[in-house]
Amino acid sequence: MPRFIARNIVKFVLLLLAVSLVAFTLVSVSPIDPVQANVGQAALVNMSEAKRAQLAEYWGANTPLWERYANWLTAFVQGDLGMSLRYNAPVADVIAARALNSLALMATAWAASGVLGFALGILAGANRGRLVDRIVKGYCFLLASVPTFWLGLVFLVVFSVQLGWFPFGFSVPIGVSAADVTLADALHHLALPALTLSVVGVANIALHTREKTIDVLESDYVRFARARGLSTWGVLRHHGLRNLALPAITLQFASISEIFGGSVLVEQVFSYPGLGQAAVTAGLGGDVALLAGIAVFSAAFVFAGNFIANVLYGVVDPRMRKGAGRA
């Protein structure tokens, strides 16, 4: 176990270094001029050369990549994520202000997609070849190929424009102060983005759970249980859920990266003020400190999900605990 923990710590540190370096490199090779992107073409044309040079120095446009990255890494080790030039605030404050919205959105969609996908997978596997199985498979294959942003636009048109059940976007009602926003208001604005994100995330876990259910039902111990008079659902309830939960847990925690990636598109479509929207703003504006901070936060978030999946895998399967203990 100590080796297992030490190995994961080393992987975590290397991951953060790689992600932050990639973020800095992408901003450096991007054709976007941060000065022009943030002041506008018209203002840039009418600006004096001295002012342009001052703004370029402020945005670090002429600073070499290695020097910017070394300065950022030194400050990061000391607990300073830098200053977001786009939001004119510390990166840590920007992330803290938007992380709650993103985490609420992702947690809701993650839980809903996991429960629904697991249930649909068992339902389809237990009724293999029947109508309900074909419906579930068709639903999964269709949604697996549907772009998240397109589905979000469709949901906006149907549920917000035509039916008027949900607001058009944002995380709170327009014109209402933060002190007057109720939990019901926040949940009302969260519902449609979370629904969009969860519907897309159902397909993978449902299809994998379906295949595992079929394998379980065709196993020898299930045939023996059926020979004793147990029904299909009785066999699954008493003998199959543990085997079905094992891959479902792994897939569910491994899907955190997909949920996070999908949240970027969903937040843009619904103008939802989360980390995904801030990342797009930082990328288009050349705000490398904010982009690197969000990239590091997201990498840590995804790594934590995979680490929890490995731990839970060992809880479900004792053989994994023994393997981790020998490693």
Side-chain angles (χ1 to χ4, degrees):
M1 183 58 70
R3 290 185 180 181
F4 173 76
I5 296 176
R7 187 168 60 248
N8 278 278
I9 291 176
V10 172
K11 290 181 180 179
F12 179 67
V13 173
L14 294 177
L15 175 66
L16 295 189
L17 288 174
V19 167
S20 59
L21 181 58
V22 168
F24 270 80
T25 303
L26 289 177
V27 174
S28 298
V29 301
S30 171
I32 297 176
D33 181 4
V35 178
Q36 178 181 338
N38 289 279
V39 303
Q41 179 64 30
L44 187 64
V45 170
N46 299 321
M47 192 178 294
S48 64
E49 290 295 334
K51 188 64 176 179
R52 291 183 188 178
Q54 182 182 2
L55 288 176
E57 181 180 359
Y58 177 74
W59 281 92
N62 299 324
T63 305
L65 167 63
W66 66 266
E67 183 177 343
R68 280 186 294 166
Y69 182 70
N71 294 335
W72 178 87
L73 185 60
T74 301
F76 176 76
V77 172
Q78 299 173 355
D80 182 11
L81 295 179
M83 178 69 69
S84 171
L85 303 180
R86 185 78 177 189
Y87 290 93
N88 194 27
V91 171
D93 293 346
V94 176
I95 293 177
R98 291 174 171 262
L100 185 60
N101 288 336
S102 288
L103 291 178
L105 172 63
M106 289 186 291
T108 304
W110 180 78
S113 62
V115 173
L116 183 59
F118 187 66
L120 289 178
I122 293 178
L123 181 65
N127 295 275
R128 180 184 183 184
R130 299 177 183 175
L131 178 61
V132 64
D133 181 32
R134 294 195 294 269
I135 292 176
V136 171
K137 286 195 300 181
Y139 163 79
C140 292
F141 290 145
L142 176 64
L143 288 184
S145 60
V146 170
T148 306
F149 71 90
W150 182 85
L151 186 63
L153 292 173
V154 171
F155 279 5
L156 268 178
V157 172
V158 174
F159 295 108
S160 296
V161 177
Q162 297 182 352
L163 298 178
W165 292 353
F166 298 100
F168 291 98
F170 306 103
S171 61
V172 295
I174 300 176
V176 178
S177 62
D180 296 331
V181 176
T182 63
L183 178 61
D185 293 332
L187 293 177
H188 192 208
H189 283 73
L190 173 68
L192 196 56
L195 177 63
T196 304
L197 197 56
S198 62
V199 165
V200 176
V202 165
N204 285 338
I205 190 170
L207 291 175
H208 280 83
T209 303
R210 174 188 177 273
E211 294 302 319
K212 186 62 178 179
T213 302
I214 294 174
D215 292 340
V216 168
L217 292 176
E218 292 179 349
S219 61
D220 293 336
Y221 69 90
V222 168
R223 293 174 182 173
F224 178 73
R226 282 180 169 176
R228 292 189 303 165
L230 286 178
S231 64
T232 300
W233 296 110
V235 170
L236 288 175
R237 185 171 62 254
H238 293 97
H239 304 286
L241 285 181
R242 189 178 182 88
N243 291 326
L244 295 177
L246 183 60
I249 289 174
T250 305
L251 283 173
Q252 184 64 1
F253 278 93
S255 68
I256 288 180
S257 58
E258 299 178 7
I259 291 289
F260 193 93
S263 69
V264 176
L265 301 175
V266 170
E267 289 176 8
Q268 282 296 106
V269 171
F270 291 94
S271 299
Y272 196 80
L275 291 177
Q277 191 182 58
V280 174
T281 302
L284 295 178
D287 193 346
V288 63
L290 178 58
L291 186 62
I294 295 176
V296 167
F297 177 85
S298 62
F301 184 73
V302 173
F303 184 89
N306 292 331
F307 179 76
I308 293 173
N310 291 333
V311 173
L312 291 180
Y313 204 106
V315 172
V316 176
D317 191 346
R319 294 172 297 179
M320 295 297 297
R321 293 200 298 269
K322 296 178 181 179
R326 290 192 298 266

